[in-house]
Amino acid sequence: MSNSFLAAVKERRTYYGLSKDVVVSNERIQEIVNEAVKHTPSSFNSQSARVVVLFGEQSDKLWNITKETLRKIVPADSFAPTEERIDSFKSGYGTVLFFEDETTVENLQKQFAAYADNFPIWSNQSSGMLQFVVWTALEQEGLGASLQHYNPLINEEVAQTWNLPSEWKLLAQMPFGKPTFTPGDKEFQPLENRVKFFQ
């Protein structure tokens, strides 16, 4: 794939093995996230995405919250694999939290009532695009990442811990850091079963 964008899309992978080793500066990560949030499209140019980036001990705090929340609902005799998984996310350098501003979405529903049912769907689609842009851009900097969804279980405590507006709805968590292993080969279903072209 000669196109650099498609090459970046192809190279992006899920990394579960992460370390806290510094790969790029916090300032560079901030620049990536700011550019992604600014330029990722949203329906009606709503710009409803909200993002929080946690570095170091702040990221550790998130995964401690997640672990203790899950400890309350996962049976103790089967908690070890859950704890191991959460600790693998905690071992990374930081975490990106993706939110959508529900007030923005609700205002659009009122303003354009004919499309009211679609705005939450479009909001999720826009967030998915943003997540992919950030994920791919981090990988281009030599960082590994994965996408996690411990919401809504942790939503309330996350909002309280970082004093976030109540209208920010947490949708995904992206732990990132220096990769500690290379993912295996990826298997693909036949494209002819997934894509159709008409000329």
Side-chain angles (χ1 to χ4, degrees):
M1 302 172 87
S2 58
N3 183 294
S4 60
F5 172 73
L6 291 178
V9 169
K10 180 179 177 180
E11 291 166 7
R12 186 222 50 83
R13 297 295 304 275
T14 294
Y15 289 88
Y16 291 113
L18 304 171
S19 79
K20 297 185 184 297
D21 295 341
V22 177
V23 176
V24 295
S25 68
N26 289 5
E27 290 74 20
R28 177 58 180 154
I29 293 168
Q30 291 170 25
E31 181 182 11
I32 288 169
V33 171
N34 281 335
E35 289 294 291
V37 169
K38 184 175 181 178
H39 295 290
T40 297
S42 58
S43 64
F44 287 64
N45 196 30
S46 62
Q47 301 178 49
S48 55
R50 304 292 183 265
V51 174
V52 172
V53 183
L54 305 173
F55 296 105
E57 292 180 1
Q58 296 295 316
S59 180
D60 293 348
K61 189 185 299 184
L62 170 79
W63 296 112
N64 287 336
I65 288 169
T66 305
K67 185 191 297 186
E68 295 312 310
T69 300
L70 292 172
R71 194 186 302 276
K72 296 172 187 174
I73 59 176
V74 176
D77 59 353
S78 59
F79 187 69
T82 297
E83 184 170 31
E84 183 178 346
R85 189 169 184 82
I86 298 302
D87 285 344
S88 75
F89 305 141
K90 183 180 174 182
S91 69
Y93 184 76
T95 306
V96 184
L97 304 180
F98 296 91
F99 301 79
E100 282 288 296
D101 185 343
E102 291 190 297
T103 299
T104 299
V105 176
E106 290 165 3
N107 287 341
L108 284 167
Q109 289 178 300
K110 294 172 186 174
Q111 189 176 355
F112 302 99
Y115 303 112
D117 291 344
N118 289 323
F119 280 111
I121 298 169
W122 293 336
S123 168
N124 282 330
Q125 290 172 343
S126 180
S127 182
M129 287 188 280
L130 175 60
Q131 292 160 32
F132 184 78
V133 170
V134 171
W135 194 347
T136 305
L138 290 176
E139 176 129 351
Q140 290 294 289
E141 296 291 329
L143 290 161
S146 68
L147 193 63
Q148 306 303 319
H149 301 91
Y150 290 98
N151 46 288
L153 293 172
I154 62 172
N155 287 24
E156 186 175 343
E157 191 165 355
V158 166
Q160 291 174 354
T161 300
W162 286 280
N163 194 29
L164 302 175
S166 60
E167 61 268 21
W168 288 22
K169 180 181 179 182
L170 179 62
L171 296 182
Q173 307 85 51
M174 183 178 291
F176 63 88
K178 181 180 180 180
T180 58
F181 76 96
T182 302
D185 292 336
K186 210 173 180 183
E187 294 185 6
F188 297 94
Q189 298 177 18
L191 284 176
E192 56 266 28
N193 296 340
R194 303 175 63 194
V195 184
K196 294 186 183 298
F197 296 97
F198 298 92
Q199 299 186 40

